Every structure is written in structure tokens, then in C-alpha cells.
Amino acid sequence: MTILFRYLFREYVKIFMMCFAGLMTVYLVVDFFEKVRQFIRYDASVINILEYFLFRVPAISFQIAPLAVLMATLLTLGMFSRSHEITAIRSCGISLYRTSLPFLTFSFLVSLCLLSLSTVVIPFASARADYVKTVLIEKKSPQISKSLRPWIQMENQTLMNIEAMDQDGRTLRGIHLYRLGPDFRLIEITEAQEAHYFNGEWTLRMGIHRNLLPNGGVSTETFTSRPLALSHTPEDFTTVG
């Protein structure tokens, strides 16, 4: 059975590698032609383009590996059935479970690899790919990093939503403040382009403040600068990010 296990395992791995390589090639080619105009527009160098796709490989592998396992299983079993090897194995009294053990073992190993990729490699590689695309190719400022639109509960029954922030956490962008009344009715909405931290205080800049009146009316006030009573420090945001 050890010889049979190694044989089935070896054939399965070969088919899997061919399926994986084919899917990876198709994915990269399609992704390249989708972005080629953008690369040309920003006059990106070949090295930066190769570096971008290199750091994209872990995330792509995570997406195509399950499909490659499925394709390899079907193709390998089809190949064995065509050459009557499955019939020969069954005629020797070997159960289907023992026959499928190499496939289950390899699938388990692939699952462990994908788990390690998703927890360690993919976050780093994806962040690096975004950096190459944003900073090295598109020539944008490296200071701004997208957030996950976090919600923060402040005092006076106020909720704050943030769209993005700088890497150092000292500037928050896309600020939305929603203040609720005692009956949890929305009474105030404040929107600002950014909130900046300076000398231990937060300040809203370039925004608009709306009061929702009980009679259904709305009073609007624009402002250039306005203090923000936020107890969080830049370190809190960079730690969360």
C-alpha cells in the first residue's frame, strides 16, 4: 500500500501543479491586460510591474488553489479510470477509502498552506502590492492608507465614522458625525474633509454642520475649522490599523 500511496500521490501532485500553473497563468494574463492601460498612463517601469504582480501571487494562489484541487481530482480519477487502474486496484481488494487517502492527504496539506497564507503571507504581500501600485506606479502620496470605515462612539450620544486615515494616525479623512437626542432621534450631522491632531487636540477642517429641527426643517452651517472632542490619540488609530 505504501508503494500504491506514493504512486497515486505523485500522479495527483503532477496533475495539480499543471492545473495550478495553468490557472495562475490565465489569472495573471487577464489581470495584466486589465491594468496595462493604467501602467502605460503612469509610465510604470517593468521592474515595478513585475514587483506588483509578484506580491499579488499569494492572494491569487489563495483564490485558485481550491479550484486547482477540484480539477486535479477529476482529471486524475479520469486518467486512472481510462487506463483501468481503478478497476485493478479494486480487484486487489483495496477499498475506495484507502484509494482516496492520497487525495485527501494532499487536500489537507493544501488547506494548511492556504491557512498559513491567509494569516501571515497574504496580509503583508497585499499591503506591499498596494504600496507598489499606489506609490511607485501611480506616484501618489504614501501617507494615506484606506481604513475599514470604523465607527467610534463619542460623548453626548455621538457616533463618528472615518473613511480613511494617514499612516501616522494624525490626520483622519472623510469624517461623519451623527448626534442622537435623548429619544435616539438624529438631531445633528457634521461632515468634514479631515480631522487633524495638533498639540493634543483634534480639529475638524473644511466641513458642514446640519441641525435637524423638530419641525422637519434643517439648518446648515459651513465651517473652515472646528474643535473635535475626541479622546482617542493617533497611537490608538495606528494600533487599530
Side-chain angles (χ1 to χ4, degrees):
M1 185 59 191
T2 303
I3 296 176
L4 180 61
F5 181 92
R6 290 202 302 266
Y7 170 70
L8 295 176
F9 190 87
R10 182 177 66 251
E11 295 300 317
Y12 183 60
V13 170
K14 289 194 297 185
I15 299 297
F16 171 81
M17 295 305 297
M18 287 189 293
C19 294
F20 185 84
L23 291 173
M24 177 66 71
T25 302
V26 172
Y27 196 111
L28 290 176
V29 169
V30 173
D31 196 22
F32 172 78
F33 280 104
E34 285 182 351
K35 296 181 172 62
V36 63
R37 291 185 179 180
Q38 186 178 11
F39 293 150
I40 295 176
R41 182 170 67 251
Y42 289 105
D43 195 20
S45 65
V46 176
I47 296 178
N48 289 336
I49 295 175
L50 293 177
E51 186 179 7
Y52 169 75
F53 284 107
L54 176 64
F55 286 110
R56 288 274 294 149
V57 166
I60 298 173
S61 301
F62 186 84
Q63 299 178 29
I64 67 175
L67 181 58
V69 169
L70 176 60
M71 293 178 58
T73 303
L74 297 176
L75 292 175
T76 305
L77 292 177
M79 181 181 66
F80 287 155
S81 297
R82 183 178 181 181
S83 59
H84 305 291
E85 292 180 81
I86 296 296
T87 304
I89 293 173
R90 293 288 291 144
S91 65
C92 294
I94 300 175
S95 65
L96 289 177
Y97 168 74
R98 297 179 68 184
T99 304
S100 61
L101 188 59
F103 307 102
L104 297 176
T105 302
F106 183 77
S107 300
F108 178 73
L109 295 177
V110 171
S111 300
L112 292 180
C113 292
L114 294 181
L115 180 62
S116 63
L117 283 177
S118 63
T119 56
V120 179
V121 180
I122 291 180
F124 169 78
S126 298
R128 181 62 185 177
D130 291 338
Y131 175 84
V132 172
K133 180 176 180 293
T134 303
V135 179
L136 301 182
I137 295 178
E138 298 180 357
K139 308 297 188 299
K140 294 182 180 179
S141 173
Q143 293 296 320
I144 301 175
S145 60
K146 293 184 179 179
S147 66
L148 299 179
R149 299 185 64 90
W151 287 88
I152 299 176
Q153 183 175 359
M154 303 170 58
E155 300 178 355
N156 299 326
Q157 293 183 284
T158 301
L159 298 175
M160 182 173 72
N161 179 251
I162 306 170
E163 293 183 358
M165 65 180 177
D166 286 10
Q167 291 183 352
D168 58 4
R170 302 186 67 87
T171 301
L172 311 177
R173 304 181 187 278
I175 307 298
H176 303 269
L177 300 173
Y178 304 92
R179 184 181 176 189
L180 307 177
D183 56 351
F184 294 98
R185 181 179 62 87
L186 185 62
I187 59 176
E188 292 181 6
I189 300 176
T190 303
E191 299 177 351
Q193 293 184 6
E194 64 180 27
H196 187 67
Y197 186 83
F198 183 72
N199 288 337
E201 297 181 350
W202 289 98
T203 303
L204 294 174
R205 295 179 177 176
M206 306 302 295
I208 182 171
H209 177 77
R210 298 182 178 90
N211 278 320
L212 307 182
L213 305 177
N215 59 4
V218 179
S219 63
T220 303
E221 173 190 1
T222 59
F223 61 87
T224 303
S225 178
R226 180 176 192 155
L228 174 63
L230 180 61
S231 59
H232 291 67
T233 63
E235 289 75 15
D236 296 329
F237 292 104
T238 54
T239 302
V240 173

